[in-house]
Amino acid sequence: MRPWPRRIAPTKEGPKLLGLIFLFCLSFANAAWSQTVTPARPKPAPAKPTQRPGSAPTPPVRYISPDPRDPVGPPPPGVQNTGQPRIPGTSHKPVPDTLAPAGRVLRPGTTPTDTAGLVNGVSRRGDSLQVAARRRGQIETTIAYTAKDSIQFDVTKKVARLYNKATVNYGDTDLKAAVITVDYGNNTMTADGRRDSITNRLLDRPVLKDKGGLYTASNIAYNFKTKKARVSDAVTTQGEGYVSASVIKRLPNGDINGLIGRYTTCNLEHPHFYIQAKNMKVIPGDKVVTGPFNLVIGDVPTPLGFLFGFFPTPNKSRGSGVLIPTFGQAADRGYFLTNGGYYFAPNDYIGVRLTGDIYAGNAQTWGGFGATADVTYLKRYTYQGNFNFRFANRPSNQILATDAVTTSPVYIRPPDANSFWISWNHTPVPKPGGGRFSANVNAGTSSFNRINSFDARRLLATQFTSGISYSKQIRNSPVNYDIKLSQSQGTDGSMRFVLPDLSLGVARQYPYQWLGIEPGGKYGSLYEQITLSYNLTASNELTNSVAPRTLANGLPLLGGSTTASTIPLRFSNVGRLLLNSRNGIQHAFNIGLGSYNVLKHFQFTPAVNYGEVWYGQRLNYSFSPVAQAVRIDTTYGLNRIYSYSTSASLNTTFYGTVIRKGTHKIQALRHKVTPSLNFSYSPDFTQRAGVNPFGADILAPRNRNASLEPRQPLLLNQFGQYVEGDDELNRYTFNNFNNFLYGAPGGPRQSQISFSLQNAIEMKVRDPNDTTGLTPFKKVDLFRNLDLNLSYDFTRPSFKLSPLSLVFSTEIAKKLALNGNAQFDPYQRDSRGQPIDRYLFQASSPRLLRLTSASISTGYAFNPTAGKKKSVVPRAVAPSNDPTLGTVGPPNLYADYVDFEIPWELSLQYAAGYSTIRVPRRPGDPRAPLLSLHTIGGTGSIKLTPNLRLSGNFSYDIASQTFVYPNVAFVRDLHCWQITGSWIPFGQLRGYGFTIAAKSSLLQDLKLNRNRYAQFQ
């Protein structure tokens, strides 16, 4: 029998039979299940077998860090997972919103507005014209209802029944059931399913979808006069979780009381786990509160539970709340509670996470503590960023000692009990004509990452850099400026600040335009090519590294030192740090004289450069005849140092092409050659007394009142005799700006000619995939570049010819590149390996060059993420490089989301280096290997099963025969649970760990950790 469709329009009469049905639905939607009105959700995807009808997709697998101090909560839905991935196979796609699987969801707390009052369910208060039609009864909009079998009305008993897949649609409310019965005489309504006589399963359960969410039950009884309801075997969605109970009583205010209730985040009809309690109270959109409960896994009750339960169920994608700490034990600090605190979301743009760690220690020894502050902010179309501060208090001595049987590594002793680390990354959205502020800060205690990090990049890095900059191009002006604050530090404790670094540039200008000269004319080709550009750089550098205090001339220095030292970073040393600072201003004027054709095929380009350096201080030297040492005094005042130079270049380009006639796979071959000859010249600036004082003036000063008298020598030689003669004393050189920020520009006379030869070899190959004939050929690079560089310095007394440098790169395959470089020496060597000023072609066995050093590196990425094959899996970003070879980037404090769609991926790297530089070795030492650099590394992942992924990375130094921080990780998807683990087989941090945890972020603290690392076991 075909269904019975019906439509009822609003009428003037009072509520009739079906009107009571839909008034129930309306009141049920408005008052029964939710305290607040939320926007209508899109139609969810059809439920898979054994899933709850209309249930959200299973949450994605999160890779949980082995470090328990890292937060594992996901970012808000729709936010891209930024940072560098911890393991291969992770995805950078936006975090899916499991509460809105079918499309976009409006911001929580907002509803559609219609000032005309024409939209269903929207108040007419905003309609100033009152043009909407007035509701002429209790039915507010059109009602649609159907029943597959029949619809029966009993007027005498005031009962109506809809049989077999009954459906009622009223506005945003959709009610479906096997049988819907309305007793409008008693103001009650019931909805029931039907029992299959063969399988004894209840089919066509009552399902209600409205603004409040999705609800399923075996029976619904509702009194639309008192607005109370009784629901049997009900299941309702609350946030990411599901609440079910054998009997539910709904109160008029919308609260729900349940008997024998269950709470779970598993979307299966028969869940893998649930929290069971005899009594349960649900406040929709707020929380679920239970009495004594216990955890049931696989229908097996466990003793895990508590006297009461509290489960937040916010109806927003973001909310504030308490973060439950993680329990564990550390080898060096005893039992601990980590990552416990509070998450605060004041608005849609900022999220603040404040957490702390506490360690029990052993006996009377305190184990220390830690604190973390993480702030994430985002303003669409403007900027986004993350600020993270971590502090750790760690005992200097190991608390829990290990016995002689253990295989644990040696305790990593920190140099100081307190350590911290600051990370800040700010990325603006570029806008035309506006300034750009950006920041990338990585700074803290030098030993923090070595002691408190499991990330390979941060653990193995020896240098960290930070920078904050603001740049702007002034509109309608050739002027641009850039202000930077930078900092760099090494794991050895050295630190360097540049506060600030100012750059000001003026783009290329044409002087003839300033003079009002019209372009063109007889000499227009000459003066129109003359250009002028200007750049200013001003810096103030502050460092705690003190350079050795020595003189280049070898004379002793009062207060000198032959070794470098480091100033500890403490407030008491601020004065010493300021005295160790360096600053200066540098000006550069570049004058272009144009470009001219010579001999038809050559391009000749001359240029003139002028520059000045300004300092606010200088060094003055005086000799002490008693101590036979030099004293240095610092005087203050403006000091200008100028320099100028000229240069010229002559270059051309020619091609060699071979074209094959007919139809061939290789159609053409082209060789592109670009030779360039450059000459640079600058005069001798070493004779300036204000920059390089003469040795005779320091070591044998003249009498001011008798300047014509002979000098009085002060310096004694090794025989106790005075060193006389200006020529002899002037061999001792001095520099008034030694070790200054920009040094002393100029220097000895320069007259150097250099030659470079650039080569590129390309091949034109027929494209077999072209069927249109529009692009029958494609270009293939045999050698992207094959460059040679050589120079000759006319001013040097010896070794005027520089070594020949060779740099090349080529692409062997589509994803296999080969890069290399080599150095060739043109001079001979003696028996000790020292170079002598004689060319190799002058030897008894003449030859042109000798290889002194060479290196080669290559890498190949095996992954099915590119190409046109059916097995290709599209990926939003390029595959990640080896973490051990990558640079240190912003920290990824949130868990990575594992992409199970990628079947496998593998990336290999290889590097080798050869050098003839001899290293002195003692008798009995092993011979140095032929290759001083010889490493191989790789990273990859493989999907062993549809729900199991194995990944890892390694790096092996063949020269020293050691592994560099290898690790293996696995991820197992268990539907609503997951297992993640990692293993470090070698090294100082060797160990293993795994975590079994619920996937839902609401139950992220429902997990079991087992760590056997050096620091966490």
Side-chain angles (χ1 to χ4, degrees):
M1 181 180 294
R2 64 181 179 181
W4 293 55
R6 293 290 186 271
R7 295 179 63 85
I8 297 180
T11 62
K12 295 182 179 180
E13 291 78 14
K16 299 297 183 182
L17 173 64
L18 294 178
L20 295 176
I21 300 175
F22 302 109
L23 285 176
F24 155 74
C25 298
L26 181 63
S27 60
F28 196 80
N30 292 338
W33 302 99
S34 179
Q35 288 280 40
T36 59
V37 178
T38 57
R41 300 185 181 276
K43 184 178 180 180
K48 297 181 179 179
T50 72
Q51 282 190 353
R52 303 184 188 279
S55 63
T58 304
V61 175
R62 298 172 292 128
Y63 175 73
I64 300 178
S65 171
D67 189 348
R69 292 165 299 195
D70 286 343
V72 296
V79 176
Q80 189 170 358
N81 185 29
T82 59
Q84 297 171 334
R86 291 189 177 99
I87 61 171
T90 53
S91 175
H92 281 268
K93 297 178 182 179
V95 178
D97 187 356
T98 57
L99 302 182
R104 185 178 63 89
V105 176
L106 299 177
R107 182 178 299 176
T110 61
T111 57
T113 57
D114 180 25
T115 58
L118 300 178
V119 180
N120 298 334
V122 179
S123 174
R124 295 173 57 254
R125 296 176 182 176
D127 183 13
S128 59
L129 301 180
Q130 300 292 327
V131 297
R134 289 183 176 272
R135 180 170 56 86
R136 295 174 293 178
Q138 299 188 27
I139 302 176
E140 297 184 355
T141 185
T142 302
I143 302 172
Y145 62 95
T146 61
K148 187 175 182 180
D149 187 272
S150 60
I151 301 177
Q152 296 180 356
F153 297 91
D154 190 338
V155 179
T156 59
K157 295 182 180 181
K158 298 182 180 181
V159 175
R161 296 181 179 88
L162 288 78
Y163 292 97
N164 196 359
K165 297 188 181 297
T167 302
V168 175
N169 292 318
Y170 180 77
D172 295 327
T173 304
D174 183 10
L175 177 64
K176 296 180 181 180
V179 180
I180 298 178
T181 304
V182 179
D183 186 348
Y184 55 91
N186 297 321
N187 299 323
T188 62
M189 188 277 296
T190 59
D192 299 275
R194 65 181 180 89
R195 182 74 60 178
D196 189 282
S197 59
I198 299 176
T199 61
N200 198 31
R201 294 183 59 188
L202 187 64
L203 305 179
D204 296 336
R205 289 174 175 266
V207 177
L208 176 65
K209 289 190 294 184
D210 60 8
K211 296 180 180 179
L214 176 70
Y215 314 94
T216 62
S218 62
N219 174 267
I220 296 177
Y222 175 71
N223 189 310
F224 43 79
K225 185 176 181 180
T226 61
K227 297 182 180 180
K228 293 182 179 181
R230 183 182 186 275
V231 186
S232 300
D233 297 331
V235 178
T236 179
T237 303
Q238 296 294 326
E240 294 184 16
Y242 300 92
V243 178
S244 62
S246 59
V247 178
I248 278 181
K249 294 182 179 180
R250 201 260 319 158
L251 303 179
N253 62 354
D255 294 350
I256 300 172
N257 294 331
L259 297 177
I260 312 178
R262 299 175 178 178
Y263 179 79
T264 181
T265 58
C266 182
N267 63 353
L268 295 180
E269 190 173 2
H270 189 73
H272 290 113
F273 79 101
Y274 53 87
I275 295 171
Q276 181 171 272
K278 185 177 181 180
N279 298 316
M280 178 180 292
K281 184 179 182 64
V282 179
I283 301 178
D286 189 6
K287 54 182 170 289
V288 176
V289 182
T290 71
F293 73 91
N294 70 303
L295 179 64
V296 179
I297 300 177
D299 294 331
V300 178
T302 67
L304 301 177
F306 200 65
L307 298 177
F308 65 91
F310 180 85
F311 308 97
T313 58
N315 56 1
K316 298 182 180 180
S317 59
R318 302 177 66 231
S320 304
V322 177
L323 301 175
I324 306 300
T326 300
F327 173 79
Q329 183 184 12
D332 55 347
R333 286 183 283 181
Y335 292 99
F336 62 77
L337 291 174
T338 64
N339 202 25
Y342 190 79
Y343 181 81
F344 178 58
N347 51 47
D348 293 339
Y349 310 106
I350 301 176
V352 181
R353 180 191 294 266
L354 302 175
T355 58
D357 313 326
I358 185 170
Y359 297 83
N362 185 26
Q364 302 298 322
T365 306
W366 169 247
F369 63 94
T372 301
D374 180 65
V375 180
T376 302
Y377 55 91
L378 169 66
K379 187 175 183 181
R380 185 173 296 180
Y381 310 123
T382 306
Y383 54 78
Q384 64 178 355
N386 174 266
F387 175 83
N388 180 266
F389 173 80
R390 299 183 68 175
F391 175 83
N393 176 272
R394 182 184 177 90
S396 301
N397 298 319
Q398 187 174 10
I399 296 176
L400 299 179
T402 56
D403 53 22
V405 182
T406 183
T407 59
S408 299
V410 180
Y411 173 68
I412 306 175
R413 180 171 181 173
D416 194 359
N418 298 323
S419 61
F420 70 93
W421 194 261
I422 297 176
S423 299
W424 179 31
N425 181 263
H426 178 89
T427 305
V429 176
K431 296 181 180 180
R436 178 181 174 87
F437 174 82
S438 61
N440 185 13
V441 177
N442 288 280
T445 309
S446 59
S447 61
F448 182 88
N449 291 287
R450 185 173 60 89
I451 299 173
N452 298 281
S453 179
F454 279 86
D455 187 4
R457 285 186 176 92
R458 312 186 74 82
L459 181 67
L460 300 177
T462 59
Q463 195 76 18
F464 294 89
T465 60
S466 305
I468 302 174
S469 64
Y470 179 81
S471 58
K472 184 177 177 61
Q473 172 73 46
I474 301 179
R475 292 186 178 183
N476 302 322
S477 173
V479 180
N480 62 86
Y481 62 89
D482 189 357
I483 302 175
K484 296 180 181 179
L485 305 177
S486 61
Q487 177 261 353
S488 64
Q489 69 176 93
T491 54
D492 58 350
S494 61
M495 190 168 293
R496 173 179 172 268
F497 299 89
V498 180
L499 308 171
D501 186 358
L502 173 64
S503 299
L504 177 67
V506 179
R508 185 172 53 185
Q509 300 294 304
Y510 296 89
Y512 78 92
Q513 297 178 348
W514 302 344
L515 303 176
I517 301 176
E518 295 294 332
K522 183 177 180 180
Y523 300 101
S525 59
L526 296 178
Y527 62 75
E528 288 179 7
Q529 298 190 66
I530 299 177
T531 61
L532 177 65
S533 62
Y534 169 74
N535 289 280
L536 178 144
T537 304
S539 298
N540 179 51
E541 180 186 284
L542 188 67
T543 178
N544 67 337
S545 298
V546 181
R549 288 177 53 85
T550 58
L551 294 175
N553 53 31
L555 294 178
L557 181 66
L558 290 177
S561 174
T562 58
T563 59
S565 60
T566 301
I567 302 175
L569 292 177
R570 291 193 290 263
F571 286 104
S572 58
N573 294 329
V574 173
R576 295 178 58 190
L577 292 172
L578 293 177
L579 290 176
N580 197 42
S581 63
R582 303 186 302 172
N583 49 62
I585 302 176
Q586 189 176 37
H587 308 266
F589 296 87
N590 299 317
I591 304 173
L593 302 179
S595 181
Y596 309 94
N597 292 327
V598 178
L599 299 178
K600 190 178 180 179
H601 299 292
F602 293 89
Q603 199 77 16
F604 177 72
T605 306
V608 176
N609 301 312
Y610 176 82
E612 286 190 5
V613 174
W614 294 358
Y615 292 120
Q617 55 189 9
R618 62 179 293 172
L619 302 179
N620 285 340
Y621 300 91
S622 60
F623 188 77
S624 173
V626 177
Q628 284 291 299
V630 178
R631 176 180 175 179
I632 300 179
D633 296 315
T634 303
T635 59
Y636 297 91
L638 178 61
N639 297 274
R640 297 174 50 200
I641 312 170
Y642 68 90
S643 66
Y644 55 87
S645 63
T646 181
S647 62
S649 63
L650 184 67
N651 55 73
T652 186
T653 302
F654 60 89
Y655 302 86
T657 306
V658 177
I659 301 177
R660 303 179 67 186
K661 296 181 180 181
T663 304
H664 301 280
K665 177 68 176 178
I666 301 176
Q667 192 66 24
L669 186 69
R670 185 176 72 170
H671 181 197
K672 178 184 176 181
V673 184
T674 305
S676 179
L677 188 66
N678 298 274
F679 177 77
S680 60
Y681 173 81
S682 64
D684 185 9
F685 291 102
T686 59
Q687 303 301 318
R688 294 177 294 186
V691 178
N692 302 102
F694 298 102
D697 295 336
I698 305 299
L699 303 176
R702 295 180 182 272
N703 190 342
R704 295 182 179 180
N705 298 327
S707 58
L708 299 180
E709 294 182 0
R711 297 178 182 272
Q712 300 296 325
L714 303 176
L715 177 64
L716 298 174
N717 58 17
Q718 66 271 26
F719 304 106
Q721 301 173 348
Y722 287 104
V723 180
E724 300 182 2
D726 290 353
D727 294 340
E728 187 69 23
L729 293 174
N730 287 337
R731 295 182 180 179
Y732 296 94
T733 59
F734 294 89
N735 188 348
N736 287 338
F737 304 95
N738 184 36
N739 199 31
F740 275 42
L741 187 60
Y742 301 113
R749 184 175 68 92
Q750 293 185 1
S751 180
Q752 179 176 303
I753 187 170
S754 59
F755 174 76
S756 64
L757 184 66
Q758 299 178 359
N759 297 268
I761 303 177
E762 303 170 340
M763 184 169 56
K764 184 182 290 186
V765 180
R766 186 172 298 276
D767 188 0
N769 298 323
D770 178 56
T771 58
T772 62
L774 300 177
T775 56
F777 303 101
K778 61 180 180 180
K779 186 179 69 173
V780 177
D781 293 331
L782 294 182
F783 280 96
R784 291 179 179 176
N785 63 292
L786 180 60
D787 302 341
L788 300 123
N789 295 276
L790 187 67
S791 63
Y792 188 87
D793 193 343
F794 296 96
T795 61
R796 299 186 62 175
S798 60
F799 302 104
K800 297 183 177 182
L801 186 63
S802 68
L804 176 66
S805 174
L806 172 65
V807 179
F808 74 92
S809 66
T810 182
E811 190 178 71
I812 300 176
K814 188 175 182 180
K815 293 181 290 185
L816 178 61
L818 184 65
N819 302 308
N821 62 79
Q823 296 283 336
F824 298 89
D825 192 1
Y827 291 99
Q828 301 180 25
R829 289 185 178 181
D830 56 16
S831 58
R832 298 176 300 171
Q834 300 298 323
I836 57 177
D837 192 14
R838 290 180 59 86
Y839 296 109
L840 285 171
F841 62 81
Q842 296 176 334
S844 57
S845 298
R847 52 177 176 165
L848 289 177
L849 300 169
R850 179 184 62 253
L851 179 65
T852 58
S853 64
S855 65
I856 188 173
S857 63
T858 184
Y860 190 83
F862 303 86
N863 59 80
T865 58
K868 299 181 180 180
K869 298 180 181 179
K870 294 183 179 180
S871 61
V872 169
V873 178
R875 198 171 189 181
V877 296
S880 59
N881 293 324
D882 186 357
T884 59
L885 302 178
T887 58
V888 177
N892 184 10
L893 298 178
Y894 295 107
D896 291 313
Y897 288 85
V898 181
D899 192 352
F900 278 94
E901 295 181 356
I902 301 177
W904 61 272
E905 61 179 347
L906 176 63
S907 177
L908 297 177
Q909 297 85 29
Y910 174 78
Y914 166 80
S915 178
T916 59
I917 300 176
R918 296 188 176 183
V919 179
R921 59 188 182 95
R922 296 171 296 182
D925 290 347
R927 184 180 296 274
L930 178 64
L931 298 177
S932 57
L933 171 66
H934 199 194
T935 61
I936 185 172
T939 179
S941 66
I942 183 173
K943 185 172 67 173
L944 298 178
T945 67
N947 297 318
L948 176 61
R949 173 170 288 276
L950 182 67
S951 62
N953 65 77
F954 74 96
S955 180
Y956 182 71
D957 190 343
I958 303 176
S960 60
Q961 298 182 358
T962 57
F963 282 94
V964 181
Y965 197 71
N967 61 80
V968 180
F970 75 91
V971 177
R972 178 69 167 90
D973 187 0
L974 299 175
H975 188 256
C976 52
W977 287 73
Q978 66 181 46
I979 303 178
T980 60
S982 62
W983 175 43
I984 304 175
F986 312 102
Q988 198 172 30
L989 297 177
R990 67 186 179 191
Y992 68 90
F994 66 89
T995 301
I996 304 175
K999 293 168 65 175
S1000 174
S1001 60
L1002 293 178
L1003 299 178
Q1004 64 180 3
D1005 297 300
L1006 184 59
K1007 61 184 177 181
L1008 173 64
N1009 289 322
R1010 190 64 174 173
N1011 293 315
R1012 281 294 179 264
Y1013 293 103
Q1015 301 180 44
F1016 300 103
Q1017 59 177 321

